[in-house]
Amino acid sequence: MEQKMFCYQCQETAGCKGCTMVGVCGKKPDVAAMQDLLVYVTKGLSAVTTALRKENKEVSADVNHLITLNLFTTITNANFDRESIETRIRATLDAKKEELARLSNRSGLPEAARWDGSDNWEAKAKTVGVLSTENEDIRSLRELITYGLKGLSAYSKHANALLKDDEEVDAFLQRALAATLDDGLTVDDLIALTLETGKYGVAGMALLDKANTTAYGNPEITRVNIGVRNNPGILVSGHDLRDLEMLLEQTQGTGVDVYTHSEMLPAHYYPAFKKYPNFAGNYGNAWWKQKEEFDSFHGPILMTTNCIVPPKDSYKDRLYTTGAAGYPGCKHIPGGIGEQKDFSAIIEQAKRCPPPAEIETGEIIGGFAHAQVLALADKIVDAVKSGAIKKFVVMAGCDGRAKSREYYTEFAKALPKDTVILTAGCAKYKYNKLDLGDIGGIPRVLDAGQCNDSYSLAVIALKLKEVFGLDDVNQLPIIYNIAWYEQKAVIVLLALLYLGVKNIHLGPTLPAFMSPNVAKVLIENFGIAGIGTVEDDMKLFFGEKA
C-alpha cells in the first residue's frame, strides 16, 4: 500500500516506525505534507540568513521570529490547520525573496533557498520530506537535529513573547537548520552539530528562564487547588505564560474564573499570578486526558500551544487557539509578539456557560524550580549527608496515552522511601497526586514546572556537584529516568548530553528516528538506554534491596 505521509517525530509514532497513512496524533496526510513544505522553506530561508550573517549583514528580529514560529507550528499536536500552515509558507517565501535581494553572493545556496514556490506544492512536498534523505544514518542525524531545533524554537518563542531575544541562539538555530541541507556533511560532522544543538538548548532554556522570572518572579513552593468554584470558567492549556497573563488581566471583574490544564499548571508557582483573585486552580491532568476533561469543564478552552487532541463535537465550539496552535473549525485569536491580544470573545462565551463539573478535590504542591530548591540547599545537603536522602531520581519529560506509560506510576510507587523525585513537564501527572510523603519536610516529589524548566533540574544538579566538591556531575546520587513524547523533550535530552550527563534512561521507547548506528553512538558515548520492567529497573538502580 502506497504511503500517504511519513512522520516519526513523536514517541507514539505508529509501530515505533512511522505514521504513513494518518498521524497517531490525528494529523492528516495533506497537513503533514504542508508541514514538511513549511520546514523545507524555513530551511531555505535559514540558508539565506546564514549567508547574510557571513557578509556581516544584520538579520531582523521579525525574520528570526518568523523562523522560530514556523518550526514551533510543526511540533507534534500544535497545528492541524492546513490553511494557516499555507499562510506561513507564503509569508516565508516572501521573506526569503526580500532577504535574497540583500545577499551579495548567492553561490553555494541550496535548492531550498532558491525555490520560489511556483511549483505544485503537494508535488513538491513529496520530494522534500523526511525520506528524501536516502542514507539512514544521515537522515537520522538530520532529523535528530531538526527535532531538537523545533524544541529550541518553542522555548525561544516563549521568551520572545516576553520581549527577550538572543541573537546567538537565533543565528545558531538558522545555521544548524541550513546545515541539514548540506550533503557535504559527514556523520561525524552531524554528530558534532547534534551536541552543539544541546549547547544552544541550554542557552535557550536559560533565556526563557530569565524571561519568565524577570516578568513573573521566581517560582515558589505553592499548593494548588484541584477542585472547582461555582463560577463560569475558562480553561487554559499549553505553555505560554504571556497569553495567560493577558487573559487574567482581561477577566478581572467579569465573574469568570481561570483554570490551568496540563502544562499550564506551573503558572500557579509564579508570584505575579497570585494577585489575580479569579485564578482558581488546576483542572484535570495531562494533555491526553483532554477529551473527557474538556467535556466536563463546560466552559471555553484556550490552547496557547501544543498539545491539541482533535476535539470532540461536544466542545469543539468552545475550543480556541492562539499563537502557533491551530485547528480547523476552531476560533483562532490573533496577535503577534508585543501585541495585546483580544480575548473578549472567549470571555463572553464563558459568561454563558455553566461552572465546571468537579472531577477531583484537594491540592497538589509544586514550585521547586532552581531558585527555590537552592534556597533549601542546606536542608537538602544535610539530608543527603545524614543518609535521609539516598538518591534523587529525575523523572522529567512528557506524558502520553500509551498503556506502557503506567510504568512511571508504578516506578514512582516502588521507589525506596529515601529517594526524592525531581520532575518537570507533564510526566509529573503520572505520580504527582500519589501520597508519597516527605523526608524531613522535603516533599518526595519536587516539581520544577514545565518541560522547559528541566533547565532548573540541570542547574540544581550542577549546584549540588559544586556543594559536594565533585569533579563530575555523574558522581552525584542522581538517576535519570526520563519519559519523552515530542520535540521539546529532544532538546532537553541534547542539553543534558551537552552538560555531560550520562546513563540517561529514555522511555517508554527509544525514538524511531534514531537509526541503529546513531543509537549505538549514543549508547557507547553517553550510556543512553531504554527502560525495562519496574522490578528489573529497581534492581538496576538500587540493587537487590529494591
Side-chain angles (χ1 to χ4, degrees):
M1 188 180 293
E2 183 184 358
Q3 293 185 356
K4 295 184 178 180
M5 59 179 281
F6 186 83
C7 180
Y8 62 179
Q9 68 176 3
C10 85
Q11 187 274 323
E12 288 186 355
T13 195
C16 205
K17 292 181 179 178
C19 294
T20 59
M21 305 305 289
V22 67
V24 169
C25 65
K27 181 169 59 177
K28 300 291 193 297
D30 63 327
V31 173
M34 290 305 100
Q35 287 190 358
D36 286 345
L37 194 60
L38 178 58
V39 171
Y40 178 73
V41 297
T42 304
K43 288 180 177 181
L45 175 56
S46 294
V48 176
T49 60
T50 299
L52 282 167
R53 288 187 176 95
K54 287 180 180 177
E55 293 182 353
N56 295 316
K57 292 174 180 173
E58 187 176 334
V59 177
S60 72
D62 286 344
V63 171
N64 290 338
H65 295 163
L66 173 71
I67 290 169
T68 296
L69 189 55
N70 282 357
L71 289 186
F72 197 0
T73 299
T74 68
I75 277 180
T76 303
N77 288 340
N79 197 306
F80 297 80
D81 186 4
R82 174 174 174 160
E83 184 177 333
S84 71
I85 295 166
E86 288 177 341
T87 298
R88 298 209 64 79
I89 293 171
R90 282 189 284 273
T92 306
L93 289 169
D94 290 344
K96 181 157 61 69
K97 184 177 180 180
E98 291 182 12
E99 297 305 289
L100 271 171
R102 299 173 53 223
L103 191 61
S104 301
N105 181 8
R106 301 186 187 183
S107 64
L109 286 178
E111 195 270 345
R114 292 179 274 108
W115 187 65
D116 63 4
S118 59
D119 301 353
N120 178 279
W121 284 13
E122 287 80 4
K124 183 67 175 178
K126 290 180 179 179
T127 69
V128 300
V130 172
L131 299 179
S132 61
T133 301
E134 293 184 8
N135 182 286
E136 183 183 33
D137 297 330
I138 297 292
R139 180 197 311 147
S140 177
L141 288 164
R142 283 178 172 178
E143 295 308 305
L144 177 57
I145 292 164
T146 300
Y147 302 154
L149 296 174
K150 287 187 180 190
L152 177 56
S153 75
Y155 300 148
S156 292
K157 191 272 177 187
H158 294 314
N160 299 157
L162 294 170
L163 306 182
K164 299 293 184 184
D165 289 85
D166 186 327
E167 168 63 22
E168 285 189 26
V169 170
D170 285 317
F172 168 77
L173 186 149
Q174 293 160 36
R175 172 169 62 83
L177 200 58
T180 64
L181 297 168
D182 187 348
D183 291 330
L185 296 184
T186 65
V187 165
D188 287 343
D189 293 331
L190 291 171
I191 288 172
L193 186 58
T194 299
L195 291 179
E196 192 177 8
T197 303
K199 172 185 175 181
Y200 283 93
V202 174
M205 286 188 279
L207 174 69
L208 178 54
D209 180 78
K210 183 177 180 180
N212 285 340
T213 55
T214 299
Y216 307 121
N218 281 304
E220 56 193 22
I221 299 173
T222 305
R223 292 187 177 277
V224 182
N225 177 45
I226 58 175
V228 297
R229 299 176 183 174
N230 196 31
N231 301 317
I234 297 171
L235 189 60
V236 187
S237 193
H239 307 73
D240 199 299
L241 297 179
R242 176 62 183 140
D243 286 336
L244 175 66
E245 180 183 29
M246 287 187 281
L247 180 65
L248 284 167
E249 289 169 349
Q250 293 175 40
T251 52
Q252 295 311 294
T254 63
V256 174
D257 286 336
V258 174
Y259 295 80
T260 56
H261 186 267
S262 190
E263 281 278 54
M264 196 57 82
L265 161 65
H268 293 277
Y269 311 156
Y270 289 91
F273 292 114
K274 296 180 180 181
K275 68 184 179 185
Y276 298 103
N278 65 326
F279 196 27
N282 189 72
Y283 190 86
N285 297 278
W287 63 272
W288 63 275
K289 299 275 284 184
Q290 64 188 248
K291 283 198 172 186
E292 58 194 82
E293 293 172 352
F294 287 3
D295 239 347
S296 62
F297 186 75
H298 298 156
I301 305 105
L302 176 65
M303 299 296 303
T304 64
T305 64
N306 61 321
C307 297
I308 299 173
V309 175
K312 293 161 61 175
D313 290 341
S314 57
Y315 64 81
K316 187 175 180 180
D317 68 332
R318 293 189 277 116
L319 187 66
Y320 293 73
T321 62
T322 192
Y327 197 87
C330 293
K331 295 171 278 291
H332 186 80
I333 297 173
I337 290 167
E339 296 177 357
Q340 185 74 13
K341 295 183 181 181
D342 180 2
F343 290 111
S344 58
I346 192 170
I347 294 169
E348 289 307 310
Q349 184 176 12
K351 291 177 181 178
R352 301 189 298 269
C353 295
E358 190 165 81
I359 56 176
E360 56 189 340
T361 60
E363 294 178 326
I364 46 179
I365 189 169
F368 295 93
H370 58 91
Q372 180 64 81
V373 172
L374 296 182
L376 300 172
D378 290 345
K379 190 173 184 179
I380 291 171
V381 169
D382 287 345
V384 173
K385 288 182 175 178
S386 72
I389 295 177
K390 289 287 199 314
K391 284 193 177 181
F392 298 91
V393 184
V394 174
M395 293 178 68
C398 316
D399 198 9
R401 290 168 283 220
K403 187 173 176 60
S404 58
R405 288 180 180 266
E406 292 176 6
Y407 162 93
Y408 295 101
T409 302
E410 298 307 314
F411 185 87
K413 288 179 181 177
L415 284 171
K417 303 301 183 189
D418 54 11
T419 59
V420 171
I421 295 171
L422 302 175
T423 192
C426 62
K428 61 174 155 276
Y429 284 103
K430 278 287 183 273
Y431 42 80
N432 70 340
K433 295 172 184 177
L434 300 175
D435 184 12
L436 297 180
D438 63 82
I439 299 173
I442 300 168
R444 289 192 56 226
V445 177
L446 301 183
D447 174 23
Q450 295 181 343
C451 49
N452 56 277
D453 292 311
S454 298
Y455 169 76
S456 271
L457 306 184
V459 171
I460 292 165
L462 292 172
K463 183 63 178 179
L464 289 175
K465 167 179 166 266
E466 177 187 323
V467 168
F468 286 110
L470 301 175
D471 298 324
D472 186 345
V473 71
N474 297 293
Q475 294 174 311
L476 286 166
I478 299 180
I479 295 163
Y480 293 84
N481 194 5
I482 296 175
W484 81 285
Y485 181 79
E486 43 84 48
Q487 297 79 65
K488 283 174 285 182
V490 175
I491 192 61
V492 170
L493 173 66
L494 297 183
L496 290 174
L497 296 184
Y498 167 74
L499 291 172
V501 176
K502 295 188 176 182
N503 302 318
I504 296 171
H505 289 254
L506 197 62
T509 58
L510 291 178
F513 54 80
M514 282 187 189
S515 69
N517 286 333
V518 170
K520 184 180 178 184
V521 169
L522 294 177
I523 290 166
E524 291 180 350
N525 291 304
F526 300 101
I528 292 284
I531 60 172
T533 66
V534 170
E535 183 180 3
D536 287 346
D537 287 349
M538 284 293 141
K539 290 178 181 176
L540 175 67
F541 294 135
F542 300 99
E544 290 300 325
K545 68 172 185 175

